[in-house]
Amino acid sequence: MSARAFSKSLKELRIHFSQNSPASRGLRDFIIKSYPDLKKANPGLPILIREASGVESRIIARFDQGRERKVVVDNFNVGDVEQKFNTLVSEAN
């Protein structure tokens, strides 16, 4: 994934996953691989990462005017997570 600066209408990203569930593996791997570049390209964007046992793997984006969108990525591989992530953040445009 080549990190890019996101639209200013994207206000926050929240990422929830289980630290040990096999269903969260794709999202965990995506974060390990992509977080440094995402943060470098978007230093002012809050990216909140929450680990909790037994939660579903999900990415939540908050946009202008409080609008939120959530995608659930349980049992996705890292490529599928990346595709869903890109679709989600592109809604900011």
Side-chain angles (χ1 to χ4, degrees):
M1 172 183 181
S2 62
R4 66 185 193 286
F6 300 128
S7 167
K8 297 291 184 198
S9 65
L10 179 61
K11 300 300 184 188
E12 178 183 82
L13 285 171
R14 293 189 309 271
I15 300 166
H16 300 180
F17 59 89
S18 173
Q19 63 267 45
N20 51 17
S21 170
S24 292
R25 181 180 252 336
L27 184 54
R28 285 193 309 267
D29 291 348
F30 172 77
I31 294 303
I32 290 167
K33 174 181 137 190
S34 302
Y35 179 82
D37 291 334
L38 289 172
K39 199 59 183 168
K40 194 178 295 180
N42 300 280
L45 178 68
I47 302 175
L48 310 172
I49 300 172
R50 301 289 182 253
E51 295 178 306
S53 183
V55 300
E56 73 180 352
S57 302
R58 59 185 175 244
I59 306 167
I60 304 158
R62 186 171 55 83
F63 301 98
D64 278 340
Q65 301 174 349
R67 186 173 58 94
E68 289 191 356
R69 288 270 295 126
K70 173 180 88 166
V71 293
V72 176
V73 292
D74 265 349
N75 297 307
F76 282 36
N77 65 40
V78 69
D80 293 338
V81 171
E82 185 173 330
Q83 182 180 5
K84 286 289 192 180
F85 178 83
N86 288 333
T87 300
L88 179 65
V89 298
S90 70
E91 292 183 21
N93 298 328

